[in-house]
Amino acid sequence: MKKNTENIQIYLENCFSDLSFVKKSVSVADGHSYCVFPGFCDVHVHFREPGFSYKETILSGSLAAAHGGYTAVCTMPNLNPVPDSADHLAAQQQLIDRDAVISVYPYGAITVGQQGEKLSDMSALAEKVIAFSDDGKGVQNEEIMRQAMISAKKLGKTIVAHCEDNSLLHGGYIHDGIYAKAHGHKGICSESEWGPIARDLRLAAETGCAYHVCHISCKESVELIRKAKANGVDVTCETAPHYLILDENDLQEDGRFKMNPPLRSTEDRQALVEGIADGTIDMIATDHAPHSAVEKSEGLQGSPFGIVGIETAFPLLYTVLVKNEIISLEKLLELLCINPRKRFGIPFGNDFTVWDLDARDTINPATFLSQGKATPFTGKTVYGKCISTYSNEKKVYPYTK
Ligand code: DOR
Ligand code: ZN
Ligand code: ZN
């Protein structure tokens, strides 16, 4: 075992200057060959504390992250209290300091209470937060978003936007497409996402603010961001594994298939894959959004939006995108750990994760360390099993106190 540890150290020394390490592997006693990767980084998770610890805690969320190979996450601010002032943020930071087993970076809210009306105390928060977001809600008012961008630019921070135009929702809860029509459900149109993106790209160009778009799900969003990048706007974006792997044809009458934005059409999914391949989409984030089993038992209409994802992201993406030769393993690692760290200035630290890529596994929520169990991928066969994860030289998966 000592020899393995030495091998891993040698890998790590080379890890971050070039990506050749992914081709190498560590042979271990049982004959399997394990790959060592730098710790993954998820810029979009919901760890639910303070306020909603029955859904997830900093401890359960960070243990789940370590199980997924992640050593750094950024937590969204739809909490109680909302981190919109230094005091409110301190309540969250105390829990992080006490309970997190990996690096947890909180977002500060853009607006007070995420109400979209008045800017949060951005200058007091700036030094203590990774960036600003009102995720869970879109900033409806253009002038508020303009002021937020002007302030973020001054403070050297990025605006991270959940783009959703409430005036176009009309009570919808899945994509406004063939499944919704066939089954009598209320749909969410794609414009409710791309409309606000178009507005914000204009504002980002005007203000020079660094701007990042959350969880893009439709083809128009990809195209808008592609054009903005070509025009020199300081924009990056993420999509999530479920938008790359599933679409409305996979929907079932089950809360496990409900998230916001919704699974869209096959064409949209294909445009996202193209956006990944050509670099328009910079990173993959999970939007890990746990809810209780009771909450998620109310079908497509009655369940809250949100699925868990942090424990299944790598095996799913490796199986569907890499094994099918849609992208390389190096590219996947860029999307999961290099690009997010670069954009948000998150250090690599002495963090790494060890995977058996040949191990076959069936996704089973009973094995999740997250309190949330709702995933549309239950029962799917995947390749890739996390053997161990180290954060700051401490073994955090499997975790022992
Ligand atoms: O699916 C989602 N879940 N989308 C969101 O915007 C919010 C999130 C949550 O907090 O549950
Ligand atoms: Zn969101
Ligand atoms: Zn979210």
Coordinates of all heavy atoms in Angstrom, one line a residue, residues 46 48 78 136 162 259-260 287 289 291 305-306, ligand 1:
H46 N -26.8 22.6 -3.9 CA -27.7 23.1 -2.8 C -27.4 22.2 -1.6 O -27.8 21.0 -1.6 CB -29.1 23.0 -3.3 CG -29.4 23.9 -4.4 ND1 -29.9 25.2 -4.3 CD2 -29.3 23.7 -5.8 CE1 -30.0 25.8 -5.5 NE2 -29.7 24.9 -6.4
R48 N -28.4 23.2 1.5 CA -29.7 23.4 2.3 C -29.5 23.9 3.8 O -30.5 24.0 4.5 CB -30.5 22.1 2.4 CG -30.8 21.5 1.0 CD -31.6 22.4 0.1 NE -32.2 21.7 -1.0 CZ -32.6 22.3 -2.1 NH1 -32.5 23.6 -2.2 NH2 -33.1 21.6 -3.1
N78 N -30.2 29.9 -1.7 CA -31.6 29.8 -1.4 C -31.8 29.0 -0.1 O -32.2 27.9 0.0 CB -32.5 29.2 -2.5 CG -32.0 27.9 -3.1 OD1 -30.8 27.5 -2.8 ND2 -32.8 27.1 -3.8
G136 N -32.2 29.7 -7.9 CA -33.5 29.3 -7.5 C -34.5 30.2 -8.0 O -35.7 29.9 -8.3
H162 N -29.2 32.3 -12.6 CA -30.3 31.4 -12.8 C -31.3 32.2 -13.7 O -31.9 33.2 -13.3 CB -31.0 31.0 -11.5 CG -32.3 30.3 -11.7 ND1 -32.5 29.0 -11.3 CD2 -33.5 30.7 -12.1 CE1 -33.7 28.7 -11.5 NE2 -34.4 29.7 -12.0
M259 N -37.0 18.9 -12.6 CA -36.0 19.9 -12.2 C -36.2 21.1 -13.0 O -36.9 21.1 -14.0 CB -34.6 19.3 -12.3 CG -34.1 19.2 -13.7 SD -34.9 18.1 -14.8 CE -34.4 16.5 -14.2
N260 N -35.6 22.2 -12.5 CA -35.7 23.5 -13.2 C -34.3 24.0 -13.5 O -33.5 24.2 -12.7 CB -36.4 24.5 -12.2 CG -36.8 25.7 -12.9 OD1 -36.9 25.8 -14.1 ND2 -37.1 26.8 -12.1
D287 N -26.0 20.9 -10.2 CA -27.3 21.5 -9.6 C -27.9 20.5 -8.6 O -29.1 20.3 -8.6 CB -28.3 21.9 -10.7 CG -29.3 22.9 -10.1 OD1 -29.3 23.2 -8.9 OD2 -30.2 23.3 -10.9
A289 N -29.7 19.1 -6.0 CA -30.8 19.8 -5.3 C -31.7 18.8 -4.6 O -32.8 18.4 -5.0 CB -31.6 20.6 -6.3
H291 N -34.2 17.1 -2.0 CA -35.5 17.3 -1.3 C -35.8 16.0 -0.5 O -35.2 15.0 -0.8 CB -36.6 17.7 -2.2 CG -36.4 18.9 -3.0 ND1 -36.6 20.2 -2.4 CD2 -36.0 19.2 -4.2 CE1 -36.3 21.1 -3.3 NE2 -36.0 20.5 -4.4
F305 N -39.1 21.2 -7.7 CA -38.1 21.1 -8.7 C -36.8 20.7 -8.0 O -36.4 21.2 -6.9 CB -37.8 22.5 -9.3 CG -38.9 23.0 -10.2 CD1 -39.7 24.0 -9.8 CD2 -39.1 22.4 -11.5 CE1 -40.7 24.5 -10.7 CE2 -40.1 22.9 -12.3 CZ -40.9 23.9 -11.9
G306 N -36.0 19.7 -8.6 CA -34.7 19.4 -8.1 C -34.4 18.0 -7.9 O -35.3 17.2 -7.4
Ligands
DOR1 O1 -34.3 22.1 -9.9 C1 -34.0 23.1 -9.2 N1 -33.8 22.9 -7.9 N2 -33.9 24.2 -9.8 C2 -33.7 25.3 -9.1 O2 -33.7 26.4 -9.6 C3 -33.7 25.3 -7.6 C4 -33.3 24.0 -7.1 C5 -33.6 23.8 -5.7 O3 -33.2 24.7 -4.9 O4 -34.2 22.8 -5.3

